[in-house]
Amino acid sequence: MDVKDYLDPAQEKMQMAVEYLDESLAHIRAGKANPKILDGIRVEYYGSAMPIAQVANVSVPDARTIVITPWEKAMFKEIEKAIINSELGITPENNGEVIRLTIPPLTEERRKALVKQSKAEAEQAKVSVRNARRDAIDGLKKAVKQGLSEDAEKDAEGQAQKLHDKYLKQIDELFAAKEKEILTV
């Protein structure tokens, strides 16, 4: 048995936790127009549910506006309905050619709630990283019983801890950046 058999999957899980956190933080609205907030909204298109970005052009002309230009006229109502029914909390404006979403400035209370939500997402990612480290260390302890030297096991535990610390630092940096983005008026 090689210690890499335990450390590589752990590192992969830790990396995936950080990537998932980055993705989920991108979906949290921070008072600035970000087309990623539309990623979770699906519209009915020829019998299947599609993301808005696959049935329309989505652009951000300024910091407070998202413009959606459907490829087909029939999609205007579908897109509007999907946005209204979503948890976005923004009413779309339709002028017949484009759909505009005006992002309202966040209230102090809403900012605090979004920071809290971001912190919960970051904490969830930290738990995933800790679980990956624990799984690797448990696997290494079992490998000692199967003939891995204790010195190699201790070194590998140290490497697992270094990986853990590296990914926790990345999580903290992602959260700090998102918190700053949310709290910046």
Side-chain angles (χ1 to χ4, degrees):
M1 289 302 276
D2 187 22
V3 294
K4 279 203 165 298
D5 295 340
Y6 300 100
L7 293 179
D8 288 348
Q11 181 171 8
E12 197 174 303
K13 286 178 189 169
M14 291 177 188
Q15 182 64 40
M16 286 170 58
V18 170
E19 288 169 5
Y20 180 80
L21 173 67
D22 191 28
E23 185 66 27
S24 58
L25 288 180
H27 291 272
I28 296 176
R29 187 162 67 95
K32 290 185 191 77
N34 180 350
K36 280 194 173 185
I37 63 172
L38 300 174
D39 286 356
I41 303 174
R42 305 265 183 232
V43 293
E44 196 64 31
Y45 186 68
Y46 291 111
S48 59
M50 307 284 276
I52 290 176
Q54 290 186 7
V55 296
N57 285 329
V58 179
S59 61
V60 182
D62 61 59
R64 294 239 176 259
T65 312
I66 297 175
V67 175
I68 303 167
T69 312
W71 295 329
E72 296 177 21
K73 291 276 185 206
M75 292 309 296
F76 274 99
K77 290 261 184 277
E78 286 288 331
I79 292 172
E80 271 190 312
K81 191 168 72 175
I83 292 170
I84 290 169
N85 293 338
S86 74
E87 296 174 8
L88 214 55
I90 299 172
T91 307
E93 301 166 27
N94 176 355
N95 68 3
E97 299 196 11
V98 295
I99 298 171
R100 285 186 200 291
L101 298 179
T102 306
I103 310 295
L106 297 172
T107 63
E108 189 63 31
E109 190 178 296
R110 183 75 178 126
R111 286 178 196 280
K112 287 180 181 166
L114 289 174
V115 167
K116 198 173 189 180
Q117 181 185 350
S118 300
K119 188 168 186 65
E121 294 278 356
E123 206 47 54
Q124 198 174 357
K126 286 182 178 182
V127 168
S128 297
V129 168
R130 290 183 192 119
N131 287 342
R133 176 191 59 183
R134 187 196 63 226
D135 293 347
I137 290 174
D138 288 350
L140 288 165
K141 287 188 190 310
K142 287 178 186 160
V144 167
K145 293 176 185 164
Q146 296 171 358
L148 183 72
S149 74
E150 284 190 24
D151 287 345
E153 186 252 348
K154 286 291 177 209
D155 290 346
E157 271 187 40
Q159 289 175 318
Q161 185 62 41
K162 281 181 184 152
L163 283 173
H164 167 267
D165 296 345
K166 172 184 150 189
Y167 285 105
L168 281 192
K169 186 172 185 260
Q170 285 181 9
I171 289 169
D172 287 337
E173 288 167 359
L174 282 172
F175 170 68
K178 187 64 177 184
E179 182 179 35
K180 184 179 179 213
E181 181 185 343
I182 291 170
L183 295 176
T184 302
V185 179

